[in-house]
Amino acid sequence: MSGAIAAEWVKARTVRSTWTCLLAGAVLTVLGAVTLGGGRATELVREGVTGARLPATEGVVSAMAFAQFALVALAMLTVTSEYSSGSIRGTLQAVPVRGRVLAAKALVVAPVLFAAGVVSGALAAVANHALLAMPVFGGFGTLEPGRTAGDLLRLGVFCALAGVLTVGVGAAVRSAAGTLSVVFMLMMGLPLLLMMTGSQAAVELATRLPLFAGLAFMGSESNLTGGPIPYPAWQGLAWLVAWAALALAAGHAVLRRRDA
Amino acid sequence: MINLANLTKRYGDRLAVDDLTLSIRPGAVTGFLGPNGAGKSTTMRMILGLDRPTSGTALVCGRPYHEIERPLRTVGALLDARAVHPGRSVRGHLLALARSNGIPARRVAEVLERVGLAAAAGRRAGALSLGMSQRLGIAAALLGDPGVLMFDEPVNGLDPDGVRWVRNLMRSLAAEGRTVFVSSHLMSEMQLTADHLVVIGRGRLIADAPLADLLVATAVLVRSPHAGDLAVRLAAEGCEVVRRAENELVVTGAPVERIGDLAHEAGIRLHELSPREPSLEQAYQELTADSVEYRVSEGSAR
Ligand SMILES: Nc1ncnc2c1ncn2[C@@H]1O[C@H](COP(=O)(O)OP(=O)(O)O)[C@@H](O)[C@H]1O
Ligand SMILES: [Mg+2]
């Protein structure tokens, strides 16, 4: 097992796409966060509010709801590039136990995306704080180390679980286009569509999908949800873990049954 | 040692491999011969546990492939030389494989040296020529210093020097006591490389015999003023002899050399001694004639 993990780590670091995705994830998070954070501050200034306090991580979680797709692409490529190039056969020759290959990929993707989430979030928080401290933005910026650290850790965990979910979907679907479609629907399309229907049952269902589960876990009061999520943060984490586990199980079932 | 027992693979309603039973022994190059679509690659994929047999079993060293711990140290295989991430470096590709099976990283440099790719270690796999890709695939197969080696059409895309190099490599691997199983759709190639031949067509076993036996099956044309005497002697040696004319025989059951020696020992003059087929190509075509999947008919070829 440790060999399989070491191999997956070598594979991840020896292709350029990994680094491109990490960079894209960081840039998108920073840009998204300063846009949202700056926007919120401007709104408050226009309303004539004084003495408001905006945390450095204001908008970072919402930004990550979009920026995560760069990191999802990284996770996806660890699986789908093996099928598009045919190298999956070499991988399975080296590690014929299917579950071991999948576990190794998940165990490499998870810490890499955790780190990517924390670092991207930290960069975004620093940029945001610098911006919000400026008088034009009301000087509302505050930096509470404890809260910021907590926010960043949760952000990392969310990214890691989104990555694991993507690895599972990738193994089940095999093609890049298919994987991205499924993950996008789960993480963005479906929950927003369900929300728009406005029906009680649809909203209940939507809030259990990974996007809102993640937002709940990260304590976001995002306007994406159109209202508070009806369960505590730890349940959000539980839903996220459940989705990732389900995706892995699906990937494992396909990997075992279908010819490589 | 590779053992196949009633190995069968069906894709939908197409029978790709049909009830193959055979053993591939160590210390020899076993050629796996068959026209395109005969089921050679499918058989190899099943041996490696990549495709699941519809029925039957494939064992490597007595075990199903997926039960072998660190399998690259037991079995090295080249299936498709192009099946490498095009953006990964040659070295990175081999290093990942080495790590997966606890093979020391220095083996990467060693095998690259052995296949003549040391200078290309930093190049992207996608930028290699087909011939270089084949060498990379062979390097990957050799990485774990395995006792069993399988190569699927390894000389495709190689220049004549490369072909000769692969041939010598196979022979030396077998001479070291390893099991070498190598597929080809070209008889001429196998004639120069293999000790033993397994011939399949449409997934079915057609022949499983030492190369020498298949060579013996080739008829030899003999012309001699003493054809009658020679016929008697050859028949006594167990050959099958057909007297086509007063001084002309068609002999099967002995190679040309043996017939010539016998004639010499008996002091019989020969005017011609020639294999009826210049190579095994003909014998192979006869063996597989019924099993070529899509044959171009004489008429439509024009
Ligand atoms: N994955 C697959 N799905 C469907 N048919 C296949 C598949 N792989 C091979 N075949 C079919 O099985 C037969 C044997 O193919 P293959 O093993 O590639 O032959 P060879 O390597 O001897 O040329 C062919 O008719 C081929 O079309
Ligand atoms: Mg083939």
Side-chain angles (χ1 to χ4, degrees):
Chain A
M1 186 71 219
S2 61
I5 295 172
E8 290 303 329
W9 167 239
V10 172
K11 282 195 251 176
R13 72 173 168 78
T14 52
V15 289
R16 192 182 302 160
S17 61
T18 300
W19 303 102
T20 316
C21 289
L22 289 174
L23 183 66
V27 169
L28 288 175
T29 312
V30 171
L31 288 180
V34 295
T35 309
L36 292 171
R40 179 96 184 97
T42 312
E43 207 175 290
L44 291 171
V45 170
R46 203 183 312 118
E47 286 167 9
V49 178
T50 52
R53 294 161 67 81
L54 288 178
T57 48
E58 172 75 22
V60 172
V61 165
S62 299
M64 188 54 90
F66 296 92
Q68 63 164 318
F69 287 104
L71 302 178
V72 159
L74 187 168
M76 173 192 87
L77 286 172
T78 64
V79 181
T80 58
S81 75
E82 294 243 39
Y83 283 98
S84 59
S85 70
S87 65
I88 186 68
R89 290 195 173 140
T91 296
L92 292 176
Q93 266 174 57
V95 184
V97 181
R98 304 307 196 243
R100 204 175 287 176
V101 172
L102 199 59
K105 286 189 186 292
L107 286 171
V108 167
V109 163
V112 168
L113 260 58
F114 173 80
V118 171
V119 172
S120 304
L123 292 173
V126 167
N128 219 7
H129 184 63
L131 189 79
L132 296 180
M134 294 204 269
V136 261
F137 290 104
F140 298 144
T142 57
L143 188 66
E144 292 169 45
R147 168 167 184 185
T148 308
D151 284 349
L152 293 180
L153 282 181
R154 281 188 289 273
L155 198 65
V157 170
F158 170 74
C159 291
L161 287 169
V164 171
L165 180 142
T166 304
V167 167
V169 173
V173 177
R174 298 191 173 183
S175 79
T179 304
L180 209 53
S181 307
V182 171
V183 175
F184 183 80
M185 281 318 279
L186 278 175
M187 301 295 291
M188 188 66 70
L190 210 51
L192 294 186
L193 280 174
L194 288 170
M195 277 292 173
M196 281 195 294
T197 67
S199 102
Q200 185 61 33
V203 172
E204 285 285 315
L205 177 61
T207 54
R208 267 76 186 182
L209 289 174
L211 172 68
F212 290 129
L215 292 176
F217 165 59
M218 292 184 284
S220 165
E221 293 144 16
S222 162
N223 40 14
L224 275 177
T225 53
I229 292 169
Y231 52 77
W234 68 265
Q235 271 185 33
L237 178 63
W239 280 109
L240 258 188
V241 170
W243 279 105
L246 181 69
L248 274 187
H252 186 234
V254 172
L255 202 50
R256 283 193 57 152
R257 281 193 188 85
R258 254 179 83 176
D259 290 338
Chain B
M1 185 76 156
I2 302 171
N3 291 295
L4 312 183
N6 308 107
L7 193 65
T8 301
K9 180 69 183 184
R10 190 182 278 284
Y11 292 112
D13 57 0
R14 160 171 247 136
L15 207 49
V17 175
D18 188 0
D19 200 32
L20 275 191
T21 298
L22 56 103
S23 296
I24 299 141
R25 279 170 296 277
V29 176
T30 301
F32 192 25
L33 200 58
N36 285 321
K40 304 180 296 291
S41 300
T42 304
T43 302
M44 288 186 159
R45 285 199 303 274
M46 286 193 285
I47 294 171
L48 295 168
L50 296 170
D51 280 19
R52 187 186 287 256
T54 306
S55 60
T57 53
L59 301 181
V60 185
C61 302
R63 277 178 298 171
Y65 188 86
H66 68 267
E67 283 180 14
I68 304 172
E69 274 297 314
R70 300 183 162 180
L72 298 185
R73 292 158 172 253
T74 305
V75 187
L78 162 64
L79 290 188
D80 175 1
R82 288 293 198 198
V84 177
H85 192 300
R88 190 170 287 129
S89 70
V90 164
R91 186 189 292 112
H93 171 68
L94 292 177
L95 182 63
L97 288 175
R99 288 267 190 271
S100 69
N101 276 236
I103 296 163
R106 69 177 150 73
R107 275 295 290 166
V108 170
E110 283 172 21
V111 291
L112 281 176
E113 193 67 49
R114 176 145 192 199
V115 302
L117 276 185
R123 291 203 15 210
R124 289 169 53 247
L128 300 180
S129 68
L130 181 54
M132 289 170 99
S133 296
Q134 293 283 22
R135 285 170 186 265
L136 175 57
I138 291 170
L142 296 175
L143 196 60
D145 196 17
V148 177
L149 287 138
M150 299 208 303
F151 302 96
D152 195 6
E153 313 249 0
V155 301
N156 276 2
L158 292 183
D159 55 21
D161 274 350
V163 171
R164 214 168 307 123
W165 174 77
V166 169
R167 227 179 260 152
N168 291 336
L169 178 73
M170 311 264 154
R171 300 234 44 90
S172 67
L173 290 168
E176 290 162 13
R178 299 176 213 256
T179 305
V180 181
F181 191 40
V182 51
S183 80
S184 176
H185 62 280
L186 295 175
M187 184 63 166
S188 49
E189 183 49 43
M190 288 294 94
Q191 200 171 348
L192 294 166
T193 317
D195 305 297
H196 191 95
L197 279 185
V198 171
V199 185
I200 64 168
R202 285 194 192 163
R204 285 178 174 250
L205 188 66
I206 293 176
D208 176 7
L211 184 74
D213 286 8
L214 289 176
L215 279 170
V216 166
T218 311
V220 178
L221 180 73
V222 184
R223 284 198 305 123
S224 163
H226 309 291
D229 279 357
L230 186 60
V232 172
R233 285 173 180 277
L234 287 168
E237 288 288 316
C239 297
E240 202 173 295
V241 186
V242 176
R243 191 157 186 182
R244 280 225 308 220
E246 176 57 28
N247 57 358
E248 208 171 288
L249 306 174
V250 174
V251 185
T252 46
V256 189
E257 295 82 356
R258 180 88 191 103
I259 297 169
D261 289 352
L262 272 172
H264 178 73
E265 282 161 19
I268 293 172
R269 279 182 292 141
L270 296 183
H271 291 165
E272 182 175 351
L273 178 64
S274 59
R276 268 249 302 246
E277 287 86 28
S279 74
L280 271 176
E281 206 75 47
Q282 190 72 33
Y284 169 53
Q285 274 164 15
E286 279 166 18
L287 280 173
T288 58
D290 299 332
S291 62
V292 179
E293 261 197 276
Y294 306 102
R295 212 161 357 147
V296 182
S297 75
E298 291 289 321
S300 67
R302 265 167 228 140

